[in-house]
Amino acid sequence: MQKFNGMQDFDFTTRLGDLILKNPVITSSGTYGFGEEYTDYCSPAYLGAITVKGITPLPRLGNPVPRLAETPSGLLNSVGLENPGLEDFLRSYLPKLSNLHTAVIVNISGFSLEDYALLASALQDYASPNNSTNITSNSSGIAALEVNISCPNIKHGGMAFGTNPKNAEEVIAVVRKNTNLPIIAKLSPNVTDIAEMAKAVESGGADIISLINTLLGMSIDIQTQKPILANKMGGLSGPAVRPVAVRMVYQVYQAVPLPIIGMGGLTTWQDAVEFMLAGASAVSVGTANFLNPLAPLEILSGLEEYCTQRGYNSIRKLVGLAHRTC
Amino acid sequence: MQKFNGMQDFDFTTRLGDLILKNPVITSSGTYGFGEEYTDYCSPAYLGAITVKGITPLPRLGNPVPRLAETPSGLLNSVGLENPGLEDFLRSYLPKLSNLHTAVIVNISGFSLEDYALLASALQDYASPNNSTNITSNSSGIAALEVNISCPNIKHGGMAFGTNPKNAEEVIAVVRKNTNLPIIAKLSPNVTDIAEMAKAVESGGADIISLINTLLGMSIDIQTQKPILANKMGGLSGPAVRPVAVRMVYQVYQAVPLPIIGMGGLTTWQDAVEFMLAGASAVSVGTANFLNPLAPLEILSGLEEYCTQRGYNSIRKLVGLAHRTC
Amino acid sequence: MYLQERVVENRLIGYPDQGIYKLVLYGQVAKSAKPGQFVHIQVSDTYDPLLRRPLSIAGIDQDREEVTIYYRVAGKGTDLLTRISVNEQVSALGPLGTGFTIPHTGELLLIAGGIGVFPLYSLIQVLSTAKVSVKLLWGGENQEFLESADFNYLKYLGVDYEVSTLDGSLGYQGLVTDLLEKELKTSKTPTGKEIKSARLLRAAACGPRGMLKAVTAICLKNDIPVEVSLEERMACGIGACLGCVCTVRGKDGNLKRKRVCKEGPVFDGEEVAWDAEV
Amino acid sequence: MYLQERVVENRLIGYPDQGIYKLVLYGQVAKSAKPGQFVHIQVSDTYDPLLRRPLSIAGIDQDREEVTIYYRVAGKGTDLLTRISVNEQVSALGPLGTGFTIPHTGELLLIAGGIGVFPLYSLIQVLSTAKVSVKLLWGGENQEFLESADFNYLKYLGVDYEVSTLDGSLGYQGLVTDLLEKELKTSKTPTGKEIKSARLLRAAACGPRGMLKAVTAICLKNDIPVEVSLEERMACGIGACLGCVCTVRGKDGNLKRKRVCKEGPVFDGEEVAWDAEV
Ligand SMILES: Cc1cc2nc3c(=O)[nH]c(=O)nc-3n(C[C@H](O)[C@H](O)[C@H](O)COP(=O)(O)OP(=O)(O)OC[C@H]3O[C@@H](n4cnc5c(N)ncnc54)[C@H](O)[C@@H]3O)c2cc1C
Ligand SMILES: Cc1cc2nc3c(=O)[nH]c(=O)nc-3n(C[C@H](O)[C@H](O)[C@H](O)COP(=O)(O)OP(=O)(O)OC[C@H]3O[C@@H](n4cnc5c(N)ncnc54)[C@H](O)[C@@H]3O)c2cc1C
Ligand SMILES: Cc1cc2nc3c(=O)[nH]c(=O)nc-3n(C[C@H](O)[C@H](O)[C@H](O)COP(=O)(O)O)c2cc1C
Ligand SMILES: Cc1cc2nc3c(=O)[nH]c(=O)nc-3n(C[C@H](O)[C@H](O)[C@H](O)COP(=O)(O)O)c2cc1C
Ligand code: FES
Ligand code: FES
């Protein structure tokens, strides 16, 4: 196990509004299973938080295979929100998550406003008791909800909630009505104006913004002359998308006062510094886990070294520095 | 020089509406200078067409340096439309372009509708005489205009023309009013709905659609804690963006009946096949020229081999095959 | 469990145009490896290609702390792997997945298609051939392929085998499934005992999906339980991304997903929903 | 002009932690290479890193058809370059750019900062030192650096030189621009002639931008024409992308862009608009 808190007086505490984490390194929804898969390599107790796979009201089989296609420095996936559904999640997964000694963020996905309302109110009952004063960790229950608004809205022709500001605001407002948990609105990058989306979810009542979800992409097999993914299109993640993600974090930081969780191609501690300079208060590690299960730990120790070498006694000093004008 | 037309009866002729090219391989605006830079490595006479750097009414110095930043499998640039301006282009560059024995596409960029109108009508006088019946090549003059609508609209708060369907339609309509040359509308990928943009430029009177232009991105230097590009943000190109480009070509092919020039990370002949299967009638090579000046020639010979091995006697057989349902 | 292994051997074996390499790794993986499991190897430091590559464990030497892997160069990733030199460290997650059931008695029929033979090598290696009668049926493109895929090692293992090639250059000309049908049609079991008393006959197979489907159908028709080792594109390799699923039919008749990297790569042939397209 | 060059030598020289390599390429480049020009090298087959890397030509041997390059490992690209073995082919565009003016008489003062000395090596090498008096002023971090950057080769070339280091571990302690000021303050020209008759004194410099700016100011104050070799991030390397521009002031007083890869990398120090921020 790597050591990453050498300097006793370095303050790793990360404040995302009322959500207070012991450090800024989170793992991303859909890339870290239900927290148990990576325990052989990296104890979740070292992480600021983990985000579980997107949960829907009912169980979902997801898309057929192939679900993965590799692209230059990127990965296309079309898992299609395979998940055990709310009931089984609460029964079989949440209890185990509470043993991991880290803050648990539950990612929720829906295909209608009702779906989101149902998930929010059901999960409210499992809220972690101490989510507004203490560091959220070592505590059972859910620390925050991350609302995945990149899902297609079945009632509106399948256009994703997250690509229209009005719909995005509505989804967040519905979740707000049904929970006291901190709400993280997860933005889709497949939009013309990310700042406008950030303002919309702020109006809806989001406490925190996370971005980016995957970029919509496609890859075609020239032998079969068909899309590689059974679902044809999929979400692009990994280092390839990092410049787009950093740009969006930078824009959202200027557009709204909400704290930001930055992600998208974040693979090394240098990338984590880049996202924090752009304006992220915390960072989330996704595809990088597949390349290197130790990535979250290496990012933690790199962040600390970067800060202490520059005499910053707190991780919070980094946030948004790239916006300084001189 | 590579041989790439081994099969005498293979038909490389590429039809983009009235614009007929000897083959489907074009070089992209901003990556091939004014056609002369690469002549030591690859004779433009072998190409279907070359596209010149974006021209504006007045000369532009463009952005300060650094203008380039490398990202995983990608390149960020912020050249900022440096160009000699219309007058000097016509005087010093166009005559030389006519000696290259290939079709010349002039990329035009403006910051107001008036700019586009001015460029279109001035360039109309240099139209290549035989643009609608013969293969456009060996001929002096301009074969087509490519309208870059990714530029900021100065009169509308700097929002790019290409991110709003109404504005995009207007720009194309203005160009249409001022030219008989084939109009290629070049779409920006920084939009929520690329199909909607394609329909808008179709309504405006575009004959051909080219896509994608660069994705807006950013990269921050963790030593200086500032964006690497002097202009802060830049356009992402190269293999990293290919899955997004292929997806958009696929979507536009389904949305409008116009011929498509596919580009975005296209580097090898395999990539060219992928774009054509997705629906492109021609392909354009951009960043790949920087990696391999022989890329356009290698793509040509690869395309021919792929087709002849499968018994296709014409390059046009490839177009859109990935849309077959069985 | 995040393991740096030292490369002991990494070289082309057999005919160059077959592109088959033997890779021997020294380290922790060997300590707990079981036949049918795999390692997930990082082939380079760059992001292109991005992902690790799954490769089956074909030989296990616990004393020397070495595992043997055979791989065929298929693209960019395996090509980069060939450039790693002896004594370099590679990052290999593993051993991963569940592996084959190892019978301690009775008879075992192994069916391999192409490079699918590799995981079966390790199964043969760990079996006590004194107690279990083993026979391998192996189909390949042609003689050059079979010889390049370390046919000699198979002979050295001393098990009973029969091979088929598409072009007839070695063994039976045709598919390995033909060999299997023929094998089961004889009144004797593959290893010579009466078929009626063959309660302890089991099968294990690895190869292309189409072949495994056919093998499963033949085995089930003959009431022989069969395990199949599946391949699927993988990202994490440890069950976290749900990229590599296989569709199975649960006891209740409902379709479910299982992860090839975690609940597999070895599955009970009967549970796999071979024709599911959901 | 798209050239495959064969690697004749590629090895670390000097202290390992200085990370300086010598690379010798056999092929077409040597035939027409001029001092100050560069090659644009493809460091690997993958897309990460994506771009070629520009490296100055430090030695030219037309008879053996070899060019020598020195490079310091700075990141992913140069690191991959170290892994290329002798006898492998690399793709190198070049020779590119315009290069230094080569005086055939008079005196030449060379000013180098750090690894900026490398292109000057080739200039020294081609000069007829019988006809041109040359003196090199070279500043570096410390002795270890200077020695690793093939100081011995410089001594072997037999030109007059003076060095400075930041820590005083070799030569004068301080900046190379101090050396330059001192040099020009003496009543003698660097090569010993009277300064008043120094009509044929010229200067050429390569190093970090800040240093080149200071060198230019000092030279111009002393009425010495100076050529500077600039660095800029490059994509195409041949003038097609406009990524690598340098801002110059035209004769008409207006700012203009020139391409470092095409009109440069060597510029007249006087024309460079050192403070332009447009
Ligand atoms: C559990 C498991 C065990 C394996 N064991 C071995 C082994 O012992 N020896 C061996 O040589 N190979 C084995 N493979 C296959 C091996 O992983 C692939 O050949 C390798 O990943 C290809 O990588 P590449 O970069 O060289 O080729 P790529 O360029 O990635 O692909 C080359 C071709 O293979 C296809 N492909 C890539 N990955 C997969 C995949 N996972 N499943 C199906 N098709 C794929 C691609 O579509 C493409 O057509 C195994 C695969 C799995 C899932
Ligand atoms: C005309 C020219 C001639 C050169 N000649 C030599 C030479 O003879 N020997 C030598 O060792 N180096 C030379 N360089 C510099 C060399 O090209 C870079 O060090 C190299 O490209 C770095 O690549 P990398 O992948 O190792 O590092 P990267 O990871 O790309 O970069 C490492 C660091 O260098 C910076 N950097 C990268 N490229 C450039 C650039 N073009 N200009 C300024 N900063 C950059 C990056 O921002 C980063 O901080 C020359 C550069 C130019 C433009
Ligand atoms: C295999 C996979 C599955 C994912 N599943 C989800 C999901 O269920 N919900 C969600 O909000 N995001 C999901 N994502 C998106 C990631 O959480 C993350 O936003 C994205 O991958 C960008 O980050 P990265 O480049 O670091 O992976 C998934 C990503 C991958 C690669
Ligand atoms: C350095 C550079 C300059 C460019 N300049 C222009 C331009 O002037 N006009 C334009 O329409 N597109 C311009 N582009 C965009 C390209 O034409 C192309 O659309 C984009 O780079 C995607 O293709 P690629 O990934 O193959 O490079 C430029 C791209 C690069 C890399
Ligand atoms: S590869 Fe990720 S779950 Fe199997
Ligand atoms: S690097 Fe492209 S113009 Fe100089």
Side-chain angles (χ1 to χ4, degrees):
Chain A
M1 192 53 63
Q2 300 231 339
K3 189 169 130 309
F4 55 79
N5 204 335
M7 187 169 150
Q8 279 308 323
D9 51 356
F10 180 72
D11 183 4
F12 245 140
T13 316
T14 297
R15 294 167 201 282
L16 302 162
D18 286 346
L19 179 64
I20 300 169
L21 304 178
K22 58 189 163 200
N23 68 55
V25 178
I26 302 172
T27 52
S28 305
S29 178
T31 69
Y32 221 67
F34 289 101
E36 287 205 319
E37 291 76 1
Y38 278 103
T39 44
D40 281 348
Y41 304 93
C42 160
S43 164
Y46 287 101
L47 304 176
I50 60 171
T51 314
V52 300
K53 176 72 193 164
I55 300 297
T56 52
L58 295 177
R60 283 175 57 87
L61 280 178
N63 291 321
V65 290
R67 291 178 172 186
L68 301 172
E70 212 180 11
T71 69
S73 300
L75 171 66
L76 283 171
N77 89 81
S78 63
V79 169
L81 285 174
E82 173 179 342
N83 80 91
L86 178 64
E87 201 185 307
D88 194 32
F89 169 70
L90 292 175
R91 187 179 49 230
S92 314
Y93 295 88
L94 189 58
K96 288 190 210 154
L97 279 163
S98 302
N99 296 330
L100 297 177
H101 303 291
T102 189
V104 172
I105 299 171
V106 177
N107 182 283
I108 59 173
S109 299
F111 301 92
S112 65
L113 289 177
E114 293 70 31
D115 281 356
Y116 286 102
L118 189 154
L119 289 162
S121 71
L123 292 166
Q124 169 65 26
D125 299 340
Y126 300 83
S128 165
N130 52 350
N131 68 54
S132 91
T133 45
N134 296 10
I135 293 182
T136 315
S137 64
N138 293 15
S139 58
S140 61
I142 299 169
L145 296 185
E146 182 178 59
V147 188
N148 176 7
I149 57 175
S150 300
C151 321
N153 181 345
I154 300 295
K155 298 212 177 126
H156 288 80
M159 186 77 175
F161 287 102
T163 54
N164 175 300
K166 213 179 116 283
N167 295 350
E169 181 177 340
E170 270 175 19
V171 171
I172 300 298
V174 144
V175 174
R176 179 76 296 162
K177 228 178 277 163
N178 288 280
T179 191
N180 298 319
L181 280 165
I183 296 180
I184 305 167
K186 183 163 181 184
L187 301 186
S188 162
N190 301 300
V191 297
T192 307
D193 187 351
I194 195 77
E196 184 190 28
M197 298 303 302
K199 288 178 191 151
V201 296
E202 188 196 11
S203 307
D207 302 297
I208 302 161
I209 290 178
S210 66
L211 75 167
I212 58 174
N213 212 315
T214 52
L215 275 165
L216 196 59
M218 186 182 218
S219 191
I220 296 169
D221 184 326
I222 68 167
Q223 299 308 320
T224 63
Q225 305 187 327
K226 295 200 183 318
I228 293 184
L229 300 177
N231 189 50
K232 292 182 183 160
M233 293 180 201
L236 183 65
S237 65
V241 310
R242 197 177 70 223
V244 174
V246 170
R247 181 263 293 183
M248 289 187 166
V249 167
Y250 189 91
Q251 289 178 317
V252 168
Y253 183 82
Q254 294 189 325
V256 297
L258 299 184
I260 297 169
I261 301 171
M263 72 186 99
L266 194 152
T267 309
T268 64
W269 67 261
Q270 289 90 338
D271 302 342
V273 171
E274 192 179 354
F275 274 91
M276 296 191 80
L277 295 172
S281 296
V283 294
S284 193
V285 185
T287 301
N289 294 303
F290 309 155
L291 320 180
N292 175 11
L294 294 186
L297 300 182
E298 291 175 4
I299 288 168
L300 268 175
S301 59
L303 278 177
E304 177 170 349
E305 197 173 317
Y306 180 88
C307 287
T308 54
Q309 277 185 358
R310 277 166 185 72
Y312 307 151
N313 59 1
S314 149
I315 190 72
R316 300 186 296 281
K317 294 263 166 78
L318 274 186
V319 180
L321 288 185
H323 294 267
R324 282 181 303 186
T325 45
C326 61
Chain B
M1 193 53 63
Q2 301 230 340
K3 190 167 131 307
F4 54 81
N5 204 336
M7 186 169 150
Q8 280 306 321
D9 51 356
F10 180 72
D11 183 4
F12 244 140
T13 316
T14 297
R15 293 166 202 280
L16 302 162
D18 285 346
L19 178 65
I20 300 167
L21 305 177
K22 59 189 162 203
N23 68 55
V25 179
I26 302 173
T27 52
S28 305
S29 178
T31 69
Y32 222 68
F34 289 101
E36 288 206 318
E37 291 76 1
Y38 278 103
T39 44
D40 281 348
Y41 304 93
C42 159
S43 165
Y46 287 101
L47 304 176
I50 60 171
T51 314
V52 301
K53 175 73 193 163
I55 300 296
T56 53
L58 296 177
R60 284 174 57 87
L61 280 178
N63 290 322
V65 290
R67 289 179 172 184
L68 301 171
E70 212 179 12
T71 68
S73 300
L75 170 65
L76 282 171
N77 89 83
S78 63
V79 169
L81 285 174
E82 175 179 341
N83 80 90
L86 177 64
E87 202 186 306
D88 194 33
F89 169 70
L90 293 175
R91 188 180 47 226
S92 315
Y93 295 88
L94 190 56
K96 289 190 210 155
L97 279 162
S98 302
N99 296 330
L100 297 178
H101 302 291
T102 188
V104 173
I105 299 171
V106 178
N107 181 282
I108 59 173
S109 299
F111 302 93
S112 66
L113 289 176
E114 294 71 30
D115 281 357
Y116 286 102
L118 190 154
L119 289 162
S121 70
L123 293 165
Q124 169 64 24
D125 299 339
Y126 300 84
S128 166
N130 52 348
N131 68 55
S132 92
T133 44
N134 296 9
I135 292 183
T136 314
S137 65
N138 295 15
S139 59
S140 62
I142 299 168
L145 296 186
E146 182 177 60
V147 188
N148 175 7
I149 58 174
S150 300
C151 321
N153 180 346
I154 299 294
K155 296 210 178 126
H156 289 81
M159 186 76 173
F161 287 101
T163 54
N164 174 301
K166 215 179 115 279
N167 295 349
E169 181 176 342
E170 269 175 20
V171 171
I172 301 298
V174 145
V175 174
R176 179 75 299 161
K177 226 177 279 163
N178 288 280
T179 192
N180 298 320
L181 281 164
I183 296 178
I184 305 167
K186 182 163 181 182
L187 301 187
S188 162
N190 301 298
V191 297
T192 306
D193 187 350
I194 196 76
E196 184 191 28
M197 298 302 304
K199 288 177 192 153
V201 297
E202 187 194 13
S203 308
D207 302 297
I208 302 160
I209 290 178
S210 66
L211 75 166
I212 60 173
N213 211 315
T214 52
L215 274 166
L216 196 58
M218 187 184 216
S219 192
I220 296 170
D221 184 326
I222 67 166
Q223 300 307 322
T224 64
Q225 305 187 327
K226 296 199 183 320
I228 294 185
L229 300 177
N231 189 50
K232 292 181 183 159
M233 293 179 199
L236 184 65
S237 64
V241 310
R242 198 177 71 224
V244 174
V246 170
R247 180 262 293 184
M248 289 188 166
V249 167
Y250 189 91
Q251 289 178 317
V252 169
Y253 183 83
Q254 293 189 325
V256 297
L258 300 184
I260 296 170
I261 302 171
M263 71 185 99
L266 193 153
T267 309
T268 64
W269 68 261
Q270 289 89 340
D271 302 341
V273 172
E274 191 180 356
F275 274 90
M276 296 190 78
L277 295 172
S281 295
V283 294
S284 192
V285 185
T287 300
N289 294 302
F290 310 155
L291 319 181
N292 176 9
L294 295 184
L297 300 183
E298 291 176 6
I299 289 167
L300 269 175
S301 58
L303 278 176
E304 176 168 351
E305 197 173 318
Y306 179 89
C307 287
T308 52
Q309 277 185 359
R310 278 166 185 72
Y312 306 151
N313 58 1
S314 148
I315 188 72
R316 300 186 296 282
K317 294 263 167 77
L318 274 187
V319 181
L321 288 185
H323 295 266
R324 284 179 303 186
T325 44
C326 62
Chain C
M1 297 282 282
Y2 179 76
L3 303 174
Q4 292 291 328
E5 302 272 308
R6 183 164 55 77
V7 174
V8 174
E9 187 177 335
N10 186 22
R11 61 182 179 84
L12 183 83
I13 57 171
Y15 296 92
D17 54 350
Q18 294 290 333
I20 296 176
Y21 282 70
K22 181 177 180 185
L23 171 69
V24 180
L25 299 178
Y26 168 87
Q28 303 286 310
V29 170
K31 291 194 180 159
S32 56
K34 290 195 289 273
Q37 290 189 303
F38 66 96
V39 292
H40 208 31
I41 293 193
Q42 184 184 339
V43 293
S44 79
D45 290 337
T46 86
Y47 295 146
D48 172 49
L50 187 65
L51 299 173
R52 290 168 178 267
R53 294 293 187 264
L55 296 173
S56 303
I57 294 169
I60 306 162
D61 189 330
Q62 250 143 4
D63 296 337
R64 303 179 62 161
E65 296 172 50
E66 290 177 358
V67 291
T68 298
I69 287 157
Y70 294 96
Y71 64 94
R72 183 159 58 184
V73 175
K76 234 174 184 173
T78 42
D79 186 52
L80 281 169
L81 190 57
T82 66
R83 305 199 202 159
I84 298 180
S85 317
V86 167
N87 284 325
E88 279 191 67
Q89 300 283 325
V90 295
S91 163
L93 306 183
L96 300 176
T98 45
F100 292 105
T101 306
I102 299 169
H104 296 284
T105 175
E107 300 165 55
L108 183 65
L109 188 57
L110 303 176
I111 307 103
I115 59 171
V117 76
F118 298 143
L120 300 180
Y121 281 169
S122 59
L123 182 52
I124 298 173
Q125 196 200 14
V126 303
L127 282 174
S128 164
T129 40
K131 297 185 192 151
V132 185
S133 318
V134 183
K135 177 161 189 182
L136 172 75
L137 308 176
W138 181 19
E141 189 88 10
N142 52 36
Q143 177 172 10
E144 283 205 358
F145 165 76
L146 295 178
E147 286 177 1
S148 302
D150 226 356
F151 195 24
N152 279 336
Y153 177 67
L154 178 65
K155 294 184 197 159
Y156 160 87
L157 285 172
V159 287
D160 197 9
Y161 64 83
E162 215 164 313
V163 300
S164 69
T165 52
L166 291 182
D167 63 359
S169 52
L170 197 71
Y172 168 82
Q173 176 165 10
L175 298 172
V176 70
T177 43
D178 299 345
L179 285 187
L180 176 61
E181 299 258 30
K182 285 204 304 175
E183 193 69 55
L184 295 174
K185 260 194 212 113
T186 64
S187 64
K188 301 283 186 182
T189 66
T191 50
K193 306 198 183 137
E194 282 297 316
I195 211 160
K196 298 295 159 209
S197 67
R199 286 205 329 278
L200 290 172
L201 176 60
R202 326 173 104 267
C206 184
R209 190 176 167 93
M211 176 206 118
L212 295 180
K213 182 181 163 183
V215 164
T216 300
I218 298 168
C219 286
L220 295 184
K221 203 175 58 194
N222 288 280
D223 282 328
I224 302 169
V226 57
E227 284 183 338
V228 294
S229 175
L230 297 180
E231 278 199 14
E232 192 47 61
R233 289 159 192 268
M234 292 185 178
C236 70
I238 61 156
C241 75
L242 307 183
C244 68
V245 297
C246 150
T247 310
V248 299
R249 199 170 293 280
K251 300 246 155 71
D252 54 7
N254 290 334
L255 293 181
K256 291 202 313 170
R257 307 282 195 212
K258 285 193 173 177
R259 295 164 295 185
V260 173
C261 67
K262 189 85 179 175
E263 285 87 33
V266 178
F267 291 90
D268 179 351
E270 191 168 3
E271 75 172 330
V272 176
W274 293 101
D275 294 312
E277 272 213 34
V278 291
Chain D
M1 297 281 283
Y2 180 75
L3 303 173
Q4 292 290 330
E5 302 271 307
R6 183 164 53 77
V7 174
V8 174
E9 186 176 335
N10 186 22
R11 60 181 178 86
L12 183 84
I13 56 170
Y15 296 92
D17 54 349
Q18 293 292 331
I20 297 176
Y21 281 70
K22 182 177 179 184
L23 172 69
V24 179
L25 300 178
Y26 169 88
Q28 303 286 310
V29 171
K31 290 194 182 158
S32 56
K34 290 194 290 271
Q37 290 189 305
F38 66 97
V39 291
H40 208 30
I41 293 192
Q42 184 184 339
V43 293
S44 80
D45 290 336
T46 87
Y47 295 145
D48 173 48
L50 187 65
L51 300 172
R52 289 168 177 267
R53 294 295 187 261
L55 295 173
S56 304
I57 294 169
I60 306 162
D61 188 330
Q62 249 143 4
D63 296 339
R64 305 179 62 160
E65 297 173 49
E66 290 176 358
V67 289
T68 298
I69 287 158
Y70 295 95
Y71 64 95
R72 184 160 56 185
V73 175
K76 233 173 186 174
T78 42
D79 186 53
L80 281 169
L81 190 56
T82 66
R83 304 199 203 160
I84 298 179
S85 318
V86 167
N87 284 326
E88 279 189 66
Q89 301 282 325
V90 296
S91 162
L93 306 182
L96 301 175
T98 46
F100 292 105
T101 306
I102 298 168
H104 296 285
T105 173
E107 300 164 58
L108 183 64
L109 189 57
L110 303 175
I111 308 103
I115 59 172
V117 77
F118 298 143
L120 300 179
Y121 281 169
S122 60
L123 183 53
I124 297 172
Q125 196 202 13
V126 304
L127 282 172
S128 163
T129 40
K131 296 185 192 150
V132 185
S133 318
V134 183
K135 177 160 188 183
L136 172 75
L137 308 177
W138 181 19
E141 188 89 8
N142 53 34
Q143 177 172 10
E144 282 204 359
F145 166 75
L146 294 177
E147 286 177 1
S148 301
D150 226 356
F151 195 23
N152 280 337
Y153 177 66
L154 179 64
K155 293 182 196 160
Y156 159 87
L157 285 172
V159 287
D160 197 10
Y161 63 82
E162 216 163 315
V163 300
S164 69
T165 52
L166 290 181
D167 63 359
S169 52
L170 197 71
Y172 167 82
Q173 174 165 13
L175 298 173
V176 71
T177 44
D178 299 343
L179 285 186
L180 177 61
E181 297 259 28
K182 285 203 305 176
E183 194 69 54
L184 296 174
K185 257 195 212 115
T186 64
S187 63
K188 301 283 188 182
T189 66
T191 51
K193 304 196 186 141
E194 282 298 312
I195 209 160
K196 299 296 158 204
S197 67
R199 287 202 331 276
L200 291 172
L201 175 60
R202 325 173 105 266
C206 184
R209 189 175 168 95
M211 177 207 118
L212 295 180
K213 182 181 163 185
V215 164
T216 301
I218 298 169
C219 287
L220 295 184
K221 202 175 59 192
N222 287 278
D223 282 327
I224 302 169
V226 58
E227 283 184 341
V228 293
S229 176
L230 298 180
E231 278 198 16
E232 193 48 63
R233 287 159 193 270
M234 292 184 177
C236 70
I238 61 154
C241 75
L242 306 184
C244 69
V245 296
C246 149
T247 309
V248 301
R249 199 169 291 282
K251 298 248 156 69
D252 54 8
N254 290 335
L255 294 182
K256 292 202 311 174
R257 307 282 196 211
K258 285 192 172 177
R259 295 163 295 184
V260 172
C261 67
K262 189 83 180 178
E263 286 86 32
V266 178
F267 290 92
D268 180 350
E270 193 170 0
E271 75 173 327
V272 176
W274 294 101
D275 295 313
E277 272 211 35
V278 290

